[in-house]
Amino acid sequence: MKSKSEPNWQPIRNLPLIAKLIDGQLTEAKRQYTTLLEARPKPYVLDDYMVQRVIRAYTEQLEFLWVYEKQLTKWKKEERLTSSQQSEISRLQKQLEHSRKILTDILTLAEEFKKGTIEKVMAKSDLKLGIEFLRSIKKPD
């Protein structure tokens, strides 16, 4: 994990901005996860570069969640919050939990895809590909 330099903590008036960032990140991650699930049965449609790019981008997002978490915690502890601000902070903390799960799921899928990218398939001999294909055919009951 990269070293964590002290972020520029935001005043509570920036709660809507932070909410928009957290909600936007979660929405985008859900979309990406759905797209990756569609590729799961055919990982060979992805190349090594794309898989590495997904791993790099979503690892960075996962590693950044602590900043949002700490910001929300600081506001809860240090600010006089209205009831709507308290509710919004609680909602955003749940969003971050969901983000952590989705980002972890994306990274798990990407690691799975590394084994079957187009480069991995093209590196196999025709014999090996044929055997793998025959093993994948399900016998009727």
Side-chain angles (χ1 to χ4, degrees):
M1 189 180 254
K2 298 175 184 173
S3 67
K4 298 176 185 176
S5 60
E6 195 67 15
N8 183 14
W9 301 115
Q10 300 298 306
I12 192 67
R13 72 176 178 271
N14 287 341
L15 177 59
L17 172 65
I18 299 299
K20 187 174 182 177
L21 293 171
I22 291 170
D23 290 338
Q25 179 180 359
L26 179 56
T27 298
E28 186 277 329
K30 286 178 181 177
R31 230 185 328 248
Q32 182 65 44
Y33 184 64
T34 300
T35 300
L36 290 173
L37 281 176
E38 291 171 6
R40 191 178 217 176
K42 49 188 188 292
Y44 50 83
V45 300
L46 303 171
D47 61 20
D48 289 340
Y49 175 77
M50 177 62 72
V51 172
Q52 285 305 318
R53 199 169 119 208
V54 166
I55 291 170
R56 187 173 43 255
Y58 290 96
T59 296
E60 288 174 6
Q61 285 186 29
L62 188 59
E63 289 175 348
F64 189 80
L65 289 184
W66 75 271
V67 175
Y68 291 133
E69 290 165 345
K70 191 165 181 184
Q71 178 68 75
L72 296 175
T73 300
K74 284 177 81 59
W75 281 336
K76 260 189 158 173
K77 288 181 181 176
E78 299 173 6
E79 299 286 339
R80 290 188 179 179
L81 302 172
T82 65
S83 61
S84 65
Q85 289 170 330
Q86 289 172 353
S87 294
E88 181 66 349
I89 289 171
S90 294
R91 183 188 73 80
L92 291 172
Q93 288 173 321
K94 289 178 184 148
Q95 291 286 78
L96 289 175
E97 290 174 23
H98 197 186
S99 285
R100 183 174 304 285
K101 168 125 180 40
I102 294 284
L103 293 171
T104 301
D105 290 346
I106 287 170
L107 292 171
T108 299
L109 274 177
E111 286 296 325
E112 182 182 312
F113 291 156
K114 282 169 56 173
K115 301 171 193 163
T117 62
I118 188 67
E119 287 90 349
K120 302 294 185 303
V121 171
M122 296 303 289
K124 294 177 183 178
S125 71
D126 290 344
L127 176 62
K128 184 165 177 80
L129 285 173
I131 291 170
E132 287 176 2
F133 173 75
L134 290 173
R135 285 184 178 155
S136 71
I137 297 174
K138 300 198 187 284
K139 296 178 182 175
D141 292 334

